[in-house]
């Protein structure tokens, strides 16, 4: 394979023959990068309650409010870091290439997650989770851009589903760990050392994963200004819409789904410490299936109708969990799996749709901004989660049902977006 995209006599890029090996290596790198990213995201909800219980003042009476307040603060630090990292590493991917930027993002989140092992105070966790999140926020947009620019158009829905499901495989791993080795105030630190392992993936990426030739051709000989371009006409409206489409599921994920292990822990009680591992596992399993299904449905009936239906079914699933399920048991586990399926299905739809909105030269920046901007709104909610829970009388169910109403906005704004089914990626 040559380093240049073939160009016709008219100066237009012509189709390039890319080896199957290059395609597979690219997909593997993006999948593993996002899978480990999901594992990193899943670690904190699993360890949060036991870690914060240990960090309370020695001899103090256990205070659920202390856990909720600091869970909200640390989660907010993570979300703000991820939003900043999505923009920074996305911009870097459009400037220096998808592969180099992706290695830096993975190295960033691996190192700082591992350093959480040494945290002694809640604010230590907040700072380190912020720094780790910079890398986590950037990895998604880079992996999606790389895969979608290399694999053929007819396989993009399948690729979107695989990438969308990848993070949830990481959640499954964390859930299995939580079941086999229940996380307690005396045993939470070692799990963070596992979070440092993805650093090894960067060596594989730099040695074996090819750079996107489509990106090379798009930026060759040009002074690309991705930030300026995505905030200018004609891309500004698409940037705003893409940000809304990603923000809606992110607000629910971080405002509801990430809190399910804590809710499970409270309902199950200290005599069943593995319960949060089971709920974590079932939510992730449902999320994998939802992420794989959504882009295939989007290819069949169109991007816009699919998003509308995902919002509608997500409202129904969260309503069922939060209104009809009152205690931990088989029905609770089933309902959390249903919530995982529908609320995470957007993360299979987004890798299919967002790349179709933006040209190659700014794709990583636009995706990084759109995918992570919603985390700022989620961070505001998480930071005030203690007050929010107080408003709802410490009821996770009532707070969750209120937050899930954001899907109604998605059911409206999707019809203002272009339908891209059957169209090629913009050059």
């Amino acid at each position: 394979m040559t380093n240049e995209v073939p160009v016709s006599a008219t100066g237009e890029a012509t189709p390039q023959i890319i080896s199957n090996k290059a395609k597979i290596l690219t997909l593997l790198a993006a999948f593993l990068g996002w899978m480990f990213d999901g594992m990193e995201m899943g670690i904190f909800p699993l360890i949060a309650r036991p870690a914060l219980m240990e960090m309370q003042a020695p001899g103090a009476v256990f205070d659920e409010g202390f856990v909720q307040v600091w869970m909200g603060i640390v989660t907010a630090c993570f979300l703000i870091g991820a939003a900043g990292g999505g923009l920074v590493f996305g911009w870097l991917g459009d400037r220096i290439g998808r592969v180099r930027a992706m290695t830096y993002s993975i190295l960033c989140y691996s190192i700082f997650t591992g350093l959480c092992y040494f945290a002694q105070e809640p604010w230590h966790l907040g700072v380190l989770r912020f720094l780790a999140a910079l890398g986590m926020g950037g990895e998604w947009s880079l992996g999606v851009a790389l895969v979608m620019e290399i694999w053929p158009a007819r396989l993009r829905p399948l690729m979107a589903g695989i990438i969308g499901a990848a993070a949830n495989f990481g959640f499954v791993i964390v859930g299995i760990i939580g079941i086999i080795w229940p996380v307690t105030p005396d045993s939470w630190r070692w799990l963070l050392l596992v979070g440092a392992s993805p650093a090894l993936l960067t060596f594989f990426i730099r040695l074996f994963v090819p750079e996107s030739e489509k990106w090379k051709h798009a930026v060759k000989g040009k002074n690309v200004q991705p930030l300026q371009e995505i905030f200018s006409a004609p891309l500004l409206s698409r940037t705003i819409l893409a940000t809304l489409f990603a923000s809606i599921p992110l607000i629910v994920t971080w405002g509801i789904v990430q809190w399910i292990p804590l809710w499970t822990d409270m309902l199950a009680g200290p005599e069943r410490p593995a319960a949060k591992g089971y709920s974590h596992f079932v939510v992730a399993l449902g999320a994998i299936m939802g992420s794989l299904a959504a882009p295939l449905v989007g290819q069949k009936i169109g991007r816009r109708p699919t998003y509308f239906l995902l919002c509608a079914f997500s409202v129904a699933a969260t309503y069922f969990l939060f209104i009809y399920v009152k205690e931990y048991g088989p029905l609770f586990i089933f309902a959390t799996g249903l919530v995982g399926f529908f609320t995470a299905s957007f993360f299979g739809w987004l890798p299919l749709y967002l790349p179709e909105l933006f040209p190659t030269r700014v794709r990583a920046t636009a995706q990084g901004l759109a995918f992570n901007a919603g985390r700022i709104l989620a961070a505001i909610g998480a930071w005030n989660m203690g007050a929010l829970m107080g408003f709802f009388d410490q009821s996770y169910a009532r707070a969750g049902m209120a937050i899930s109403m954001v899907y109604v906005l998605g059911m409206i704004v999707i019809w203002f977006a272009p339908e891209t089914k059957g169209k090629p990626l913009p050059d």
Side-chain angles (χ1 to χ4, degrees):
M1 185 173 69
T2 63
N3 291 328
E4 301 293 337
V5 175
V7 178
S8 68
T10 64
E12 297 294 324
T14 60
Q16 180 192 16
I17 298 175
I18 301 173
S19 71
N20 288 331
K21 180 180 177 181
K23 295 175 187 174
I24 291 171
L25 287 173
T26 299
L27 178 61
L28 183 62
F31 179 89
L32 290 176
W34 191 229
M35 183 193 79
F36 285 125
D37 201 333
M39 189 176 76
E40 308 281 350
M41 287 187 284
I43 284 174
F44 187 70
L46 194 65
I47 70 160
R49 201 162 185 271
L52 292 169
M53 287 171 67
E54 186 207 15
M55 290 179 180
Q56 277 193 266
V61 178
F62 172 67
D63 180 9
E64 184 68 37
F66 176 86
V67 173
Q68 290 177 352
V69 167
W70 275 105
M71 173 67 176
I73 292 172
V74 176
T75 300
C77 290
F78 173 88
L79 291 168
I80 293 169
L87 186 59
V88 170
F89 281 101
W91 174 85
L92 203 60
D94 283 330
R95 298 289 292 182
I96 68 172
R98 283 58 165 126
V99 173
R100 288 173 63 193
M102 187 160 61
T103 60
Y104 299 150
S105 71
I106 294 172
L107 199 60
C108 178
Y109 72 63
S110 302
I111 291 173
F112 288 110
T113 297
L115 288 175
C116 287
Y117 175 89
F118 301 101
Q120 299 297 319
E121 301 286 345
W123 70 268
H124 295 168
L125 288 174
V127 171
L128 291 170
R129 288 296 284 170
F130 169 83
L131 294 171
L134 293 172
M136 294 185 213
E139 201 284 331
W140 185 88
S141 65
L142 297 165
V144 169
L146 187 61
V147 170
M148 294 303 173
E149 289 165 7
I150 287 182
W151 281 79
R154 61 185 175 82
L155 293 176
R156 284 209 308 268
L158 178 60
M159 296 301 104
I162 291 173
I163 295 173
N168 294 297
F169 277 98
F171 277 95
V172 166
I173 293 171
V174 172
I176 291 172
I177 291 173
I179 293 170
I180 298 175
W181 295 286
V183 181
T184 68
D186 299 320
S187 66
W188 62 271
R189 293 181 184 274
W190 66 269
L191 192 58
L192 293 161
L193 295 180
V194 177
S197 60
L200 300 174
L201 179 61
T202 60
F203 297 103
F204 161 78
I205 293 174
R206 291 306 302 269
L207 288 173
F208 300 108
V209 177
E211 184 55 84
S212 165
E213 298 294 336
K214 190 177 180 69
W215 169 78
K216 288 182 181 180
H217 176 73
V219 301
K220 184 180 179 182
K222 299 174 183 176
N223 181 25
V224 179
Q225 300 292 334
L227 274 176
Q228 180 180 337
E229 191 167 348
I230 66 173
F231 286 116
S232 304
L235 293 181
L236 177 60
S237 62
R238 293 193 172 203
T239 300
I240 294 171
L241 286 169
T243 300
L244 281 172
F245 300 148
S247 296
I248 288 166
L250 280 167
I251 288 169
V252 175
T253 295
W254 290 99
I256 296 177
V257 180
Q258 288 291 310
W259 290 74
I260 286 178
L262 273 77
W263 187 31
T264 305
D265 213 16
M266 188 174 71
L267 291 177
E271 65 276 6
R272 291 184 285 187
K276 58 180 174 290
Y278 282 107
S279 68
H280 210 95
F281 175 81
V282 172
V283 169
L285 197 62
I288 289 171
M289 294 187 288
S291 296
L292 289 169
L296 299 179
V297 175
Q299 182 70 358
K300 189 74 174 178
I301 69 172
R303 284 38 165 174
R304 296 191 301 176
T306 299
Y307 190 88
F308 177 89
L309 290 174
L310 295 182
C311 288
F313 281 114
S314 293
V315 170
T318 52
Y319 185 87
F320 175 67
L321 173 63
F322 294 127
I323 299 301
Y324 287 101
V325 182
K326 304 296 184 182
E327 60 184 21
Y328 177 78
L331 184 62
F332 178 88
I333 294 296
F334 170 77
T336 55
L338 204 62
V339 167
F341 181 94
F342 287 112
T343 61
S345 58
F346 296 90
F347 302 115
W349 181 90
L350 289 166
L352 175 66
Y353 188 61
L354 295 193
E356 297 172 341
L357 294 179
F358 302 100
T360 302
R361 63 187 177 274
V362 300
R363 183 170 293 127
T365 303
Q367 291 179 164
L369 172 70
F371 187 76
N372 291 290
R375 291 177 172 175
I376 296 291
L377 296 175
I380 295 171
W383 190 276
N384 294 285
M385 197 63 182
L388 183 65
M389 292 299 294
F391 179 79
F392 288 106
D393 298 323
Q394 307 304 318
S395 171
Y396 286 102
R398 290 174 59 192
M401 196 62 245
I403 293 170
S404 68
M405 289 299 101
V406 72
Y407 285 123
V408 176
L409 175 62
M411 296 168 69
I412 297 170
V413 296
I414 187 60
W415 303 111
F416 292 92
E419 177 58 70
T420 56
K421 178 187 173 183
K423 298 179 181 179
L425 286 181
D427 288 329

